[in-house]
């Protein structure tokens, strides 16, 4: 690759895919977890059930083969706490053994594992004690982390403690679509984030004590909020407030030991200061914000639909994610400058069964990361969400994020055109114009 405008990446750049345990392993045959219970109670769209999902509990290895064949060199997966500790204080060595098998299987394929300790799902016994609203969750998380480290600490260097504390707390305690299904309880969402920050800080220290070269972070979901009516003071104010309340607090806690804001409405966890080795960002969409007094509990924010000419994925995707906006990666420079750490995009993608917008999303993400590299930022890797369609939380099987299409009845996978494109990018460690033209993707800006 050498032409003008071709995008080369530094040697050793990580091209990966991100996944999570519940979404790929499903609820079938597993000890009760909050999501297994939530779907059994009928809270998932159209009553969908996860079943065995992508069948990873029995066979993740075939998908690991696919990742290797695409030329990927990293895969992010999570450890399911409910499988590992089905009853408080009782650890299941077979479950830990299965996770070790998975991590080793990745390494055998030349794929570096990145393990997430908490990706939304958790044991029901924890939820029934108040989950992360209860300060006791901190010690319990630390004990769980210790056991996971004993099982895989020698074969895994890259770690994520918590996946998206901002999504977990907002969707579970303010919007109500995730368990425990609370509405408008902003204070509870703050308590949850506070305890997660404490648990993160403890787990960060513990992982480093066991694995001196560990590379550890949490993942931060970032949404680009823009006023629906540019120049409208209410919309502009509400967009800023959403950014402040959703995007910033956890990042600020890790940067400064506390978030901005008045006492009572901020997160003060001094021991969390500087507890990350990289900034891990999950980024999907841009949302248009309209000021609405009736939405006072949700930062006065009533989401407006994307512009009519915005790219569209699966029906309903825009309601949840706004429009696809990988360009948001460029604006991360400011955050990066602030923390002075390397950046890894730990999730990016879009729900798009027909694969009409995904190739453009991938190409633009590559372009955006490259522009950050050109500006001197230390971008280390990119994980596409996700390898094969998996169980999309409260949207069940309705939203399809996979590079591979999954037939849930037969477990057959069919590569979408994006799989080809992403594989070529990973193998070339970059992207050239000819590849874009061959895949019929518009040259990114
Ligand atoms: C979550 C994933 C989820 C993806 C798409 C992220 O917020 O970490 O578990 O599937 O978004 O909704």
């Amino acid at each position: 690759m050498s032409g003008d405008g071709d995008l080369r990446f530094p040697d050793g750049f990580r091209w990966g895919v991100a996944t999570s345990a519940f979404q790929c392993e499903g609820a079938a045959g597993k000890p009760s977890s909050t999501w297994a219970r939530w779907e059994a109670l009928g809270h998932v769209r159209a009553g969908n059930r996860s079943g065995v999902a992508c069948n990873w509990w029995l066979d993740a290895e075939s998908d690991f083969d696919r990742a290797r064949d695409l030329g990927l060199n990293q895969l992010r997966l999570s450890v399911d706490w409910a499988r590992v500790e089905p009853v408080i204080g009782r650890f299941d060595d077979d479950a830990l053994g299965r996770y070790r098998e998975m991590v080793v299987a990745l390494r055998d394929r030349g794929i570096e594992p990145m393990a997430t300790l908490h990706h939304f799902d958790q044991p029901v016994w924890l939820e029934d004690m108040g989950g992360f609203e209860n300060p006791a969750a901190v010690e319990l998380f630390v004990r769980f982390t210790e056991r996971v480290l004993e099982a895989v600490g020698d074969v895994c260097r890259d770690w994520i403690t918590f996946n998206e504390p901002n999504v977990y707390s907002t969707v579970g305690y303010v919007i109500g679509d995730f368990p425990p299904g609370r509405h408008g309880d902003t204070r509870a969402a703050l308590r949850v984030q506070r305890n997660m920050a404490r648990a993160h800080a403890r787990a960060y220290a513990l992982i480093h004590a066991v694995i001196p070269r560990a590379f550890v972070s949490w993942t931060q979901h970032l949404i680009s909020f823009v006023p629906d009516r540019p120049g409208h003071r209410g919309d502009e104010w509400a967009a800023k407030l959403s950014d402040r309340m959703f995007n910033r607090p956890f990042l600020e806690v890790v940067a400064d030991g506390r978030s901005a804001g008045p006492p009572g409405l901020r997160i003060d966890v001094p021991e969390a200061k500087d507890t990350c080795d990289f900034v891990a960002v999950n980024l999907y969409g841009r949302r248009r914000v309209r000021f609405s007094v009736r939405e006072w509990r949700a930062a006065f924010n009533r989401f407006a639909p994307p512009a009519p000419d915005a790219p569209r994925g699966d029906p309903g995707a825009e309601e949840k994610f706004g429009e696809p906006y990988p360009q948001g990666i460029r604006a991360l420079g400011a955050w990066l400058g602030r923390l002075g750490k390397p950046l890894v995009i730990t999730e990016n993608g879009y729900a798009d069964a027909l694969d009409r917008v995904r190739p453009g999303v991938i190409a633009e993400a590559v372009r955006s990361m490259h522009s950050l590299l050109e500006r001197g930022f230390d971008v280390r890797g990119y994980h596409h969400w996700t390898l094969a369609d998996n169980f999309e939380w409260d949207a069940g099987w309705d939203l399809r994020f996979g590079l591979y299409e999954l037939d849930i009845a037969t477990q057959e996978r069919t590569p979408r055109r994006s799989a080809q494109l992403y594989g070529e990018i990973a193998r070339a460690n970059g992207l050239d114009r000819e590849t874009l033209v061959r895949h019929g993707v518009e040259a990114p800006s």
Side-chain angles (χ1 to χ4, degrees), residues 166-441:
N166 57 346
V167 170
Y168 175 87
S169 57
T170 306
V171 186
Y173 293 81
V174 181
I175 298 174
D177 286 344
F178 283 9
R182 298 244 282 273
H183 293 269
D185 200 344
T186 311
R187 282 182 185 272
L190 279 171
R191 279 195 293 276
V192 166
Q193 290 197 56
R194 228 172 255 137
N195 287 328
M196 281 190 160
R198 289 189 185 118
H200 163 79
R202 293 277 308 279
Y204 177 85
L206 187 61
I207 297 170
H208 273 282
V210 175
I211 312 165
R213 285 177 53 250
F215 197 49
V216 188
S217 193
W218 84 104
T219 67
Q220 175 72 31
H221 190 114
L222 287 183
I223 298 179
S224 306
F225 294 104
V226 288
D228 186 41
R229 296 161 291 187
H232 185 283
R233 279 173 57 192
D235 291 3
E236 292 198 342
W237 180 79
K240 278 209 183 96
L241 187 64
S242 288
D243 175 59
R244 152 116 302 290
M245 291 182 69
F246 183 82
N247 287 333
R248 291 173 190 249
F250 213 92
L251 259 164
E252 288 170 342
V253 174
V254 176
D256 304 327
R258 66 173 224 200
S259 61
L265 280 181
R266 69 172 180 237
I267 309 175
D268 255 305
V269 182
E271 68 270 29
K273 185 169 160 57
D274 210 21
T275 52
C276 77
D277 305 313
F278 62 106
V279 186
V281 171
N282 296 352
L283 184 141
Y284 290 86
R286 171 162 74 175
R287 310 215 58 160
R288 293 180 190 277
V289 174
R290 255 188 191 235
F291 174 80
S292 160
V293 178
R294 289 176 59 186
E295 302 293 340
W296 61 274
R297 283 193 222 241
F300 298 94
N301 173 346
R302 185 164 66 75
F303 287 124
D309 59 347
R312 299 246 155 175
D314 292 343
E318 70 282 355
E319 257 168 58
K320 283 182 90 68
F321 302 98
E323 64 193 273
Y325 196 61
Q327 296 88 328
I329 292 171
R330 292 169 199 244
L332 294 174
W335 288 115
L336 277 173
R338 183 151 187 218
L339 281 147
K341 305 276 176 168
L343 170 75
V344 179
I345 306 297
T346 35
E347 287 182 29
N348 169 245
Y350 206 72
D352 181 25
L354 300 176
D355 211 38
R356 287 179 302 202
V357 302
R358 187 178 292 103
V361 166
I362 293 173
E364 184 53 49
V366 171
R367 181 76 198 94
S368 296
M369 288 188 294
H370 199 265
S371 99
L372 282 181
L373 284 165
E374 280 173 339
R375 286 159 59 200
F377 291 111
D378 183 6
V379 189
R380 299 277 178 93
Y382 171 83
H383 291 252
H384 194 75
W385 183 275
T386 186
L387 185 64
D389 294 336
N390 61 29
F391 196 70
E392 180 48 34
W393 305 113
D394 56 314
W397 294 110
D398 274 9
L399 297 181
R400 301 294 187 124
F401 280 85
L403 295 169
Y404 285 80
E405 179 182 345
L406 171 76
D407 179 328
I408 44 173
T410 63
Q411 282 294 322
E412 232 173 279
R413 274 90 165 138
T414 310
R416 296 193 166 103
R417 143 179 107 106
S418 292
Q420 290 279 339
L421 171 65
Y422 189 49
E424 283 179 37
I425 294 169
R427 291 192 295 275
N429 196 23
L431 177 60
D432 59 20
R433 285 191 187 280
E434 192 262 311
T435 307
L436 288 174
V437 172
R438 199 156 19 81
H439 286 278
V441 183

Side-chain angles (χ1 to χ4, degrees), residues 124-142:
V124 282
W125 56 257
L126 180 70
E127 182 90 356
D128 293 343
M129 304 169 36
F132 274 88
E133 255 199 288
N134 183 342
V138 175
E139 210 53 57
L140 292 164
F141 182 74
V142 170

Side-chain angles (χ1 to χ4, degrees), residues 31-45:
S32 210
S33 71
T34 48
W35 271 92
R37 178 162 70 181
W38 194 246
E39 64 163 73
L41 290 171
H43 290 301
V44 172
R45 207 185 282 174

